[in-house]
Amino acid sequence: MIASAPGKIILFGEHAVVYSRHALVSAINLRCRVEVKKSDGFRIISPLGVTTLDFKVHPYVSYSIKRFCELKEIKGAEIRIESDIPIASGLGSSSAVTVATIKAMNEEFNIGLSEEDVFEMARKVEIDVQGRGSGIDPFISTFGGSWIFPKRKKVDLCLDLFVLKLWERSTKEMVEKVALLRQKYGEIVERIFDAIDCITLRASECRIEEFDELIKMNQSLLRALGVSSQQIDELVARLEKEGFIVKITGAGGGGCLYGVFTGKKPQGSFLVRTNAEGVKIEDS
Ligand code: MEV
């Protein structure tokens, strides 16, 4: 059985959403495909290597199977993964592989999980691996479209965005970094989250002509949270001189920058379209 799930782009609100503020998120037209076949024993085949259950090389897939086996004991499965989504870049590759694995396992072993069950299981897997998380990534990979999260308000947001990939980094480390800042400067950091929340709610009215200003403000606040870096700040400033307004999307510290595409894009960037379909079964 083959299932595919989309990557995502957080337009506004990353990090603040971990502390119950809103984020505006959309599924993008890059997908991860996972094929599951019943087998004796477990084998995971991906661009990262071929392993059995391996919580270091394939943490998200291995925890997905572990969680799945709590529902139904199975002898094994061969799991084959291919993905268009760059890994460790803030575009939701981990959640896409998790959600697609659970969906394909569900179909192959005929368990009857609903989309809501798939989301709940993927959310547990995110916590298993990262220790902390808002659930926004598994949510959007499961349901697709564009949403204000965690309110679950659907928005109509069909946009072309340019994305500039920087270097890989760990979401877990960036989320921990913000948690430490919050421990030290509780009141200040809560106000930064509140300001990000206001930006997200304003953006959710979908007046696209305001996006560049809101992107600038959100980027400054991410910098205040310590998830930008000197190199990123310099790049943001250089792009601004060239006429491109960008912000980090996802956990930061590297990952990706995005901006609204209006006919030209920065050198080295690629285009994505928002509002993609959520997890689905593919014809084999
Ligand atoms: C990661 O895609 C987004 C963060 O806000 C973490 C989370 O919400 O779980 C940084």
Side-chain angles (χ1 to χ4, degrees), residues 8 10 13-19 23 90-92 95 126 130 132-138 149 169 171 174-175 178 227 249-252:
K8 64 95 182 38
I10 297 182
E14 50 276 273
H15 288 292
V17 71
V18 178
Y19 300 92
L91 296 180
S95 281
E126 181 178 69
Q130 286 175 207
R132 198 192 292 257
S134 63
I136 192 168
D137 290 18
F149 183 87
R169 83 293 169 271
T171 296
M174 300 316 294
V175 169
V178 174
V227 298
T249 180

Side-chain angles (χ1 to χ4, degrees), residues 83-184:
S83 183
D84 318 322
I85 312 164
I87 60 167
S89 305
L91 296 180
S93 62
S94 306
S95 281
V97 77
T98 304
V99 166
T101 300
I102 295 168
K103 179 79 174 175
M105 294 282 289
N106 177 52
E107 294 292 313
E108 180 71 8
F109 292 95
N110 224 341
I111 302 297
L113 296 179
S114 66
E115 301 304 56
E116 199 62 41
D117 299 329
V118 170
F119 161 59
E120 276 306 326
M121 193 180 285
R123 187 177 156 74
K124 285 185 188 145
V125 170
E126 181 178 69
I127 302 292
D128 289 336
V129 180
Q130 286 175 207
R132 198 192 292 257
S134 63
I136 192 168
D137 290 18
F139 176 83
I140 196 71
S141 258
T142 307
F143 295 105
S146 305
W147 299 80
I148 298 290
F149 183 87
K151 211 193 238 178
R152 291 196 180 205
K153 184 170 180 283
K154 223 170 191 288
V155 290
D156 188 18
L157 196 70
C158 222
L159 277 179
D160 288 321
L161 307 172
F162 64 80
V163 174
L164 196 60
K165 184 177 175 311
L166 308 178
W167 48 90
E168 291 174 15
R169 83 293 169 271
S170 141
T171 296
K172 183 175 192 288
E173 278 170 27
M174 300 316 294
V175 169
E176 275 167 9
K177 193 171 179 196
V178 174
L180 285 176
L181 196 76
R182 180 171 173 263
Q183 241 172 44
K184 190 165 175 193

Side-chain angles (χ1 to χ4, degrees), residues 8-12 23-29 140 144-149 153-161 199-211 214-215 249 258-260 272-277:
K8 64 95 182 38
I9 197 148
I10 297 182
L11 292 113
F12 299 95
L24 177 57
V25 65
S26 192
I28 54 173
N29 58 338
I140 196 71
S146 305
W147 299 80
I148 298 290
F149 183 87
K153 184 170 180 283
K154 223 170 191 288
V155 290
D156 188 18
L157 196 70
C158 222
L159 277 179
D160 288 321
L161 307 172
I199 293 172
T200 303
L201 291 174
R202 178 83 181 206
S204 70
E205 293 166 18
C206 293
R207 283 185 241 148
I208 302 303
E209 69 282 1
E210 288 185 353
F211 265 40
L214 297 173
I215 285 174
T249 180
Y258 95 88
V260 179
V272 297
R273 169 151 288 197
T274 60
N275 233 14
E277 205 181 334

